[in-house]
Amino acid sequence: MQDIKTSKATAFLTGGGEMGAAIRSKDWAKTSLGPPDTWPTELRIVVRLMLTTNHPIFVFWGPELTCLYNDAYSQSLGPELHPGALGKPAREVWDEIWDIIGPQIKIVMSGKGATWHKDHLVPITRKGARDEVFWTYSYSPIDDPSSASGVGGVLVICSETTEKVLTARELQQELEAREVLLQEVNHRIKNSLQLVSTLLRLEGRAAQTDETRSSLSRASARVNAISSVHELIYRTGGFATIRIKDYVGELCEAISDSLAGQSGVTLTYESVEMEVSTDLAISMALLINELVTNAFKHAFPNGRMGVIEVKVSAENDHLTVCVADNGVGKSAEASGNLGSRIIDGLVGQVSATISEGNEGEGHRVHLRIPLKG
């Protein structure tokens, strides 16, 4: 061991903490680099930069790619490499990962430019164990006019990102586990709703009066309306939002099936292609269910044939829902019933505005629902 006396030629080695002292005390004459006062200017500049920064830096220099590094870089090395790597050839130091870094160094040393790697896995042995270590780093050329390629070495500027990568991986695994759990919960909700709907339907068939049968049937349809949204959530795996076009179509098909006894009435639907929150989707499903079943019940008495149209569209920051029929128009009997009260409650819940009226043949209901955020 020797301690290089500071002179004008070796002033670039001053400071640098532990690694600065290690570089100054090393007998460089026994390495391919030779004494520091003979090092080329390009290498001196880079070593000075390396010793005066708190950012991890590693340097490969010369034909043997002799290794130099600073205190910040040493913190990522185990006792297997630090401090023994200083002044040794790169292949000897990094043999266990040469298949990874060797080709990268070759690119830079051959004059083909720098390399860049983000959160790249470069496992190294530390404290007796091979660690899964991630790095974000660049390999940049250090100029040397005397070299055939014009490059004398490689400047490695890096940060170990292992903690960040592993934390992100754990968070992703937690999110995936929660999604599986949410999907299972949603599946059970959907199945429970379908069971309730079936029980209501069976009770309706056994009811003694038409009024009771009608009430139970409509209650079953309301449960089905909510269930249709949960069914779509389960199939698509989307818990925050639902595609309107998908669930409007499925809801209208389900309503048509449940009211198949009115074979002379056709239900058509059209919807904009966009996503809304699941909360809004459930409210809209209930609204559409009530409006359509009201039309089925009141607009086409005595086997009258006709059409009910459902149209959902977007206007700036609002959704519009229009349910229209070409039946006999809305009667006083259809006002003030449970279905109408449910509609009024849902309209208030989604802060919508509603307009309705008889138009020629039939009745039209127009809803404007604000889209929040």
Side-chain angles (χ1 to χ4, degrees):
M1 298 284 288
Q2 66 173 6
D3 192 2
I4 298 173
K5 294 182 179 180
T6 302
S7 66
K8 187 175 182 181
T10 58
F12 69 96
L13 295 178
T14 57
E18 177 191 343
M19 290 309 300
I23 292 172
R24 290 191 297 273
S25 64
K26 188 171 185 63
D27 185 0
W28 290 99
K30 295 180 179 179
T31 72
S32 61
L33 290 190
D37 58 3
T38 66
W39 292 358
T41 300
E42 292 79 10
L43 176 59
R44 296 186 190 194
I45 292 172
V46 171
V47 170
R48 185 62 187 155
L49 170 68
M50 179 186 76
L51 292 178
T52 55
T53 181
N54 291 323
H55 194 88
I57 289 182
F58 200 98
V59 172
F60 300 107
W61 183 265
E64 292 187 354
L65 299 170
T66 303
C67 298
L68 302 101
Y69 57 98
N70 62 4
D71 279 356
Y73 192 94
S74 70
Q75 294 173 21
S76 292
L77 300 176
E80 292 85 356
L81 295 176
H82 172 69
L86 182 65
K88 289 185 177 179
R91 185 61 188 264
E92 180 182 338
V93 173
W94 297 113
D95 184 64
E96 67 174 339
I97 57 169
W98 196 252
D99 59 326
I100 300 174
I101 69 170
Q104 298 168 10
I105 294 173
K106 185 177 180 180
I107 289 172
V108 178
M109 291 297 291
S110 63
K112 296 179 180 178
T115 68
W116 168 251
H117 308 271
K118 184 175 181 181
D119 297 331
H120 192 63
L121 175 60
V122 185
I124 60 175
T125 299
R126 298 191 291 198
K127 298 179 180 178
R130 188 168 171 83
D131 284 349
E132 189 178 55
V133 187
F134 293 86
W135 309 80
T136 291
Y137 62 97
S138 65
Y139 280 9
S140 302
I142 304 172
D143 293 340
D144 180 9
S146 66
S147 170
S149 66
V151 177
V154 178
L155 172 64
V156 183
I157 299 178
C158 59
S159 292
E160 184 180 342
T161 59
T162 305
E163 184 176 354
K164 183 193 80 171
V165 172
L166 295 182
T167 299
R169 182 187 293 174
E170 289 173 4
L171 287 173
Q172 182 61 34
Q173 291 171 344
E174 287 181 12
L175 286 173
E176 290 173 359
R178 289 183 184 182
E179 285 184 3
V180 170
L181 177 61
L182 284 171
Q183 196 166 17
E184 178 61 26
V185 169
N186 185 71
H187 182 53
R188 295 190 180 193
I189 291 172
K190 179 204 68 168
N191 287 343
S192 298
L193 289 171
Q194 288 177 342
L195 177 60
V196 171
S197 177
T198 300
L199 291 173
L200 288 170
R201 192 163 58 250
L202 291 173
E203 287 291 330
R205 291 174 184 171
Q208 300 299 311
T209 66
D210 289 343
E211 182 180 357
T212 303
R213 279 194 292 273
S214 177
S215 295
L216 289 171
S217 176
R218 295 200 67 175
S220 175
R222 290 170 187 132
V223 175
N224 267 336
I226 301 173
S227 178
S228 68
V229 177
H230 284 279
E231 168 67 20
L232 198 59
I233 292 172
Y234 176 70
R235 287 208 314 270
T236 62
F239 300 100
T241 61
I242 292 289
R243 290 177 59 193
I244 296 178
K245 190 171 184 178
D246 291 341
Y247 89 80
V248 167
E250 294 189 15
L251 175 63
C252 289
E253 293 290 347
I255 294 172
S256 291
D257 291 343
S258 68
L259 299 171
Q262 291 183 247
S263 56
V265 180
T266 301
L267 176 59
T268 66
Y269 53 88
E270 179 183 341
S271 178
V272 66
E273 185 76 67
M274 66 178 295
E275 294 191 353
V276 297
S277 69
T278 52
D279 288 342
L280 179 56
I282 290 173
S283 297
M284 286 179 62
L286 287 168
L287 277 166
I288 292 171
N289 176 74
E290 293 301 325
L291 293 171
V292 170
T293 52
N294 274 350
F296 264 106
K297 182 177 181 180
H298 300 290
F300 306 102
N302 304 318
R304 179 184 173 111
M305 300 178 68
V307 177
I308 301 172
E309 296 178 345
V310 176
K311 184 176 181 180
V312 181
S313 57
E315 296 178 1
N316 298 323
D317 57 351
H318 284 73
L319 276 178
T320 62
V321 179
C322 183
V323 178
D325 65 71
N326 62 353
V328 298
K330 186 175 182 179
S331 63
E333 178 190 351
S335 301
N337 59 21
L338 178 59
S340 295
R341 293 197 298 274
I342 290 175
I343 291 170
D344 291 340
L346 291 168
V347 166
Q349 183 176 310
V350 296
S351 303
T353 57
I354 182 170
S355 59
E356 61 177 312
N358 295 332
E359 297 183 1
E361 268 200 349
H363 185 73
R364 179 182 297 271
V365 179
H366 189 86
L367 295 167
R368 289 188 82 240
I369 305 171
L371 293 170
K372 299 175 183 178

